[in-house]
């Protein structure tokens, strides 16, 4: 039963940890996108150069705009040309391009409101904001976060239940010894403490094994993922950058599960 | 000292009164046999004395503790003033003789030096010197019961209560055990022996309290087991 108890704690913590690591990676990916993705606000064609540059202050006043860089027609054409062969560049006139502002946002979850705000700035003709991927990731992150929270709650309760039963069986196995202890006048703490220590040790053992198991599993999975997405935008959070927090969380949960399970068993099954 | 006054006891899962108005007093230093047929209430009295159960009404005082109103947290302190001996010995199988006896001192937080001094003394007192390393399954029934008595005695209690201590022993061993209790009593410890072994009770000139149907029907100093229906 002790083995089963440790195994359940390991399984619960590895599941919890896996889901949390997925959420963490999606979060990191979104943050990455926030810095990489740009919103482009095109200036009305009827505005001359000086008027176009003058609206920068109004653009920066829009909530959630982190910074704005003015790009004139010529710079825009040069950027465009650099991406194409010379044959394709021929015959393109600079007037085809508009003056524009390249913007970064503070929070891409407020992208829709920011876009609306930019479109309302006088002199802005059109706003291009391609945050479809980010929006999808935000949705996934939110779903994973909710699942993660529910899982943590359910798995902690399952672990406590298993731990309670483990300690209950331990008290049953030592019932004669306990009866003798009571008869000779052993104090409550003397009788109960070994079971609380047992719960604590089982919990910490489970937490330690789970920490190492998650590490191994995470390294294995991320290695495979990076092999599949070689050269893409995908970056994974290294386990070593969060391992102290993971260890801390696992130990805290293990202690709670171990001690609470033991206390629960003692309260219900060990009448001293 | 044990003092019971108009003690009534009805178990939660039963309508029958296990005790219906028991009055008895056992003074310090006495040797008393508590006798009576099965179901008469002997075990209930034992449980009231050890604090396993509480009386429905009346007064129960054991070694100056009010056993009706005693807090659970105070029970260990009260139990340290008495030693309990059971019919089935209740030794810890995976501990040798020495550790079984020392265990009773360890659980009450006795110092190692005191344990090393007291345990051999008590084992010698009960006639188990040289058997310290034996495991319970290597001992006879009589020897196992002596270990149980040594354990009950080791914390120097004011009172020893023994519930059918000779139930698993032959007549010779039973007599030896009673002589041991008598010896312990002579050293100042109060002894209460619950039994239904008529021959044994009548062999000693001790006080005999007879219980029947949940109340005391006789209490005499003549050492005579008066109850005939067994």
């Amino acid at each position: 039963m002790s083995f089963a108890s440790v195994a359940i704690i390991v399984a619960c913590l590895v599941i919890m940890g896996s889901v949390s690591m997925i959420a963490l990676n999606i979060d990191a990916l979104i943050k990455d996108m926030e810095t990489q993705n740009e919103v482009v606000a095109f200036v009305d064609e009827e505005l001359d150069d000086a008027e176009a540059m003058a609206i920068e202050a109004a653009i920066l006043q829009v909530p959630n705009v982190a910074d704005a860089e003015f790009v004139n027609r010529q710079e825009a054409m040069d950027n465009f040309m650099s991406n194409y062969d010379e044959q394709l560049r021929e015959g393109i006139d600079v007037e085809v391009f508009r003056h524009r502002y390249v913007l970064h946002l503070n929070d891409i979850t407020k992208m829709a409101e920011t876009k609306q705000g930019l479109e309302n700035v006088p002199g802005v003709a059109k706003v291009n904001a391609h945050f479809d991927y980010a929006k999808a990731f935000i949705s996934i992150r939110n779903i994973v976060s909710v699942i993660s929270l529910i899982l943590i709650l359910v798995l902690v309760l399952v672990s406590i239940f298993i731990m309670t039963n483990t300690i209950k069986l331990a008290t049953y196995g030592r019932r004669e010894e306990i009866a003798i202890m009571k008869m000779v006048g052993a104090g409550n703490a003397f009788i109960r403490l070994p079971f609380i220590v047992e719960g604590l040790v089982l919990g910490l053992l489970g937490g330690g094994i789970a920490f190492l198991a998650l590490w191994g599993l995470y390294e294995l999975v991320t290695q495979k993922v990076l092999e599949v997405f070689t050269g893409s935008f995908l970056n994974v959070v290294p386990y070593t950058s969060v391992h102290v927090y993971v260890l801390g969380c696992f130990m805290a949960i293990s202690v709670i599960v171990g001690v609470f399970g033991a206390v629960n068993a003692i309260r219900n099954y060990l009448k001293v | 000292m044990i003092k019971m006054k108009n003690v009534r006891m009805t178990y939660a899962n039963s309508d029958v009164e296990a005790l219906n108005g028991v009055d008895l007093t056992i003074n310090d230093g006495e040797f008393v046999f508590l006798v009576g047929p099965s179901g008469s209430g002997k075990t209930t009295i034992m449980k009231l004395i050890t604090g396993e159960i509480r009386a429905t009404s009346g007064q129960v005082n054991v070694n100056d503790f009010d056993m009706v109103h005693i807090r659970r947290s105070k029970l260990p302190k009260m139990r340290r003033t008495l030693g309990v001996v059971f019919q089935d010995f209740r030794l810890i199988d995976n501990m040798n003789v020495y550790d079984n006896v020392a265990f009773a001192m360890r659980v009450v937080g006795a110092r190692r030096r005191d344990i090393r001094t007291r345990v051999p003394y008590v084992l010698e007192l009960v006639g188990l010197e040289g058997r310290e390393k034996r495991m319970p399954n290597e001992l006879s029934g009589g020897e196992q019961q002596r270990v149980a008595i040594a354990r009950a005695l080791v914390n120097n209690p004011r009172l020893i209560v023994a519930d059918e201590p000779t139930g698993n022993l032959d007549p010779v061993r039973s007599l030896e055990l009673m002589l041991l209790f008598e010896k312990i009593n002579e050293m100042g410890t109060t002894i209460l022996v619950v039994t239904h072994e008529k021959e044994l009770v009548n062999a000693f000139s001790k006080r005999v309290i007879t219980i029947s149907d949940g109340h005391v029907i006789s209490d005499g100093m003549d050492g005579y087991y008066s109850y005939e229906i067994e």
Side-chain angles (χ1 to χ4, degrees):
Chain A
M1 195 64 191
S2 297
F3 174 78
S5 193
V6 172
I8 288 290
I9 290 173
V10 171
C12 291
L13 287 177
V14 168
I15 294 168
M16 265 183 232
S18 303
V19 176
S20 300
M21 290 307 289
I22 291 169
L24 193 70
N25 272 289
I26 293 173
D27 220 33
L29 202 62
I30 292 165
K31 286 253 179 334
D32 211 27
M33 285 180 160
E34 279 173 354
T35 56
Q36 285 176 13
N37 280 277
E38 296 165 342
V39 173
V40 181
F42 294 101
V43 178
D44 195 326
E45 287 174 343
E46 291 179 5
L47 269 59
D48 59 31
D49 290 3
E51 288 170 332
M53 290 172 76
I55 65 168
E56 183 172 346
I59 285 173
L60 287 170
Q61 289 288 312
V62 175
N64 196 35
V65 173
D67 57 64
E69 185 195 351
F70 180 70
V71 178
N72 65 29
R73 286 192 177 96
Q74 189 58 51
E75 288 167 336
M77 191 177 82
D78 293 345
N79 285 341
F80 178 80
M81 294 301 192
S82 65
N83 292 324
Y84 295 95
D85 294 336
E86 271 185 44
Q87 289 176 329
L88 287 169
R89 294 178 196 169
E90 283 175 16
I92 295 178
D93 184 48
V94 73
E95 290 301 319
V96 171
F97 294 88
R98 289 175 176 178
H99 294 310
R100 64 198 62 187
Y101 283 89
V102 178
L103 316 167
H104 290 105
L105 307 186
N106 289 319
D107 181 0
I108 59 168
T109 60
K110 293 174 185 165
M111 178 267 295
E113 300 95 294
T114 311
K115 188 183 176 194
Q116 185 72 47
L118 288 167
E119 282 169 348
N120 291 337
V121 172
V124 172
K126 191 186 170 192
V127 177
N128 273 359
H130 297 293
F131 282 104
D132 296 345
Y133 283 124
K135 280 171 74 179
F137 277 120
I138 288 165
S139 301
I140 293 169
R141 193 250 323 250
N142 291 340
I143 292 166
V144 170
S145 296
V146 171
I147 291 171
S148 176
L149 276 176
I150 294 169
L151 262 179
I152 287 170
L153 192 68
V154 170
L155 295 176
V156 164
L157 289 176
V158 168
S159 304
I160 288 173
F161 176 75
I162 299 288
M163 183 59 75
T164 300
N165 278 289
T166 303
I167 301 299
K168 175 187 164 187
L169 283 179
T171 62
Y172 186 76
R174 292 175 58 193
R175 63 192 183 284
E176 295 204 347
E177 199 177 321
I178 291 166
I180 293 164
M181 282 189 204
K182 284 196 254 182
M183 273 304 129
V184 297
N188 290 353
F190 187 91
I191 297 171
R192 290 174 170 173
L193 200 62
F195 296 107
I196 294 174
V197 170
E198 185 174 340
L200 185 67
V201 169
L202 290 177
L204 289 175
L205 188 65
I209 294 171
F211 170 74
L212 295 174
L214 183 66
W215 196 339
L217 190 70
Y218 186 77
E219 292 295 334
L220 196 74
V221 171
T222 51
Q223 211 173 0
K224 293 283 175 202
V225 168
L226 288 174
E227 275 172 26
V228 172
F229 294 99
T230 310
S232 73
F233 61 93
L234 198 65
N235 282 315
V236 293
V237 176
Y239 194 80
T240 47
S241 70
V242 291
H243 71 311
V244 175
Y245 303 108
V246 173
L247 186 64
C249 284
F250 277 18
M251 289 298 129
I253 292 170
S254 302
V255 168
I256 290 168
V257 167
V259 173
F260 195 77
V263 169
N264 199 29
I266 286 165
R267 271 196 187 157
N268 291 310
Y269 307 108
L270 186 63
K271 303 287 181 206
V272 180
Chain B
M1 183 184 183
I2 300 169
K3 192 167 187 178
M4 293 190 170
K5 198 171 176 187
N6 195 26
V7 175
R8 292 179 180 275
M9 179 69 208
T10 306
Y11 287 98
N13 54 358
S14 167
D15 294 333
V16 182
E17 270 194 327
L19 298 179
N20 48 32
V22 169
D23 289 292
L24 64 85
T25 301
I26 298 171
N27 292 310
D28 285 341
E30 278 196 274
F31 188 125
V32 179
F33 285 111
L34 182 66
V35 300
S38 300
S40 59
K42 301 191 299 289
T43 303
T44 300
I45 288 175
M46 280 286 294
K47 286 181 174 176
L48 288 172
I49 292 168
T50 58
E52 283 183 70
I53 55 171
R54 283 171 198 249
T56 311
S57 66
Q59 290 175 24
V60 180
N61 282 283
V62 179
N63 292 342
D64 306 323
F65 286 88
D66 177 354
M67 300 305 291
V68 177
H69 302 105
I70 191 169
R71 281 193 205 163
R72 277 198 162 274
S73 59
K74 295 282 178 198
L75 275 176
K77 194 178 174 190
M78 176 267 154
R79 284 174 178 153
R80 290 175 196 184
T81 68
L82 57 88
V84 187
V85 178
F86 299 96
Q87 179 179 352
D88 56 357
F89 323 132
R90 298 200 190 170
L91 302 179
I92 299 171
D93 294 336
N94 56 6
M95 284 185 191
N96 63 27
V97 168
Y98 182 94
D99 286 333
N100 259 290
V101 179
F103 180 71
M105 290 187 80
R106 289 188 186 120
V107 300
V108 299
R111 290 184 301 179
R112 279 187 186 182
R113 199 175 60 184
D114 295 338
I115 295 171
R116 279 200 296 267
T117 314
R118 177 77 179 160
V119 174
Y121 167 74
V122 174
L123 286 175
E124 190 183 343
L125 189 73
V126 300
L128 285 174
E129 65 273 26
R131 287 178 169 76
E132 292 86 353
K133 301 280 181 198
R134 298 270 182 93
M135 300 303 283
N137 61 6
E138 295 169 340
L139 302 174
S140 68
E143 287 173 326
Q144 288 189 54
Q145 196 58 296
R146 282 168 184 270
V147 178
I149 292 168
R151 185 181 61 197
L153 196 60
V154 76
N155 284 326
N156 203 17
R158 289 170 60 184
L159 164 72
I160 287 183
V161 285
D163 189 9
E164 304 279 3
T166 56
N168 287 334
L169 305 180
D170 62 55
V172 177
R173 302 285 161 248
S174 297
L175 193 64
E176 283 175 2
L177 206 70
M178 284 303 155
L179 289 169
L180 178 60
F181 276 130
E182 195 172 40
K183 184 175 158 188
I184 293 166
N185 176 243
E186 281 166 5
M187 294 166 77
T189 307
T190 310
I191 305 284
L192 173 63
V193 178
V194 175
T195 185
H196 60 263
E197 292 189 50
K198 196 174 178 178
E199 303 288 321
L200 201 62
V201 172
N202 291 341
F204 290 80
S205 282
K206 301 292 179 188
R207 181 179 167 196
V208 181
I209 300 172
T210 311
I211 301 281
S212 182
D213 293 330
H215 61 274
V216 177
I217 58 164
S218 74
D219 184 350
M221 299 300 291
D222 54 359
Y224 186 65
Y225 190 160
S226 58
Y227 203 81
E228 293 300 334
I229 306 164
E230 261 309 316

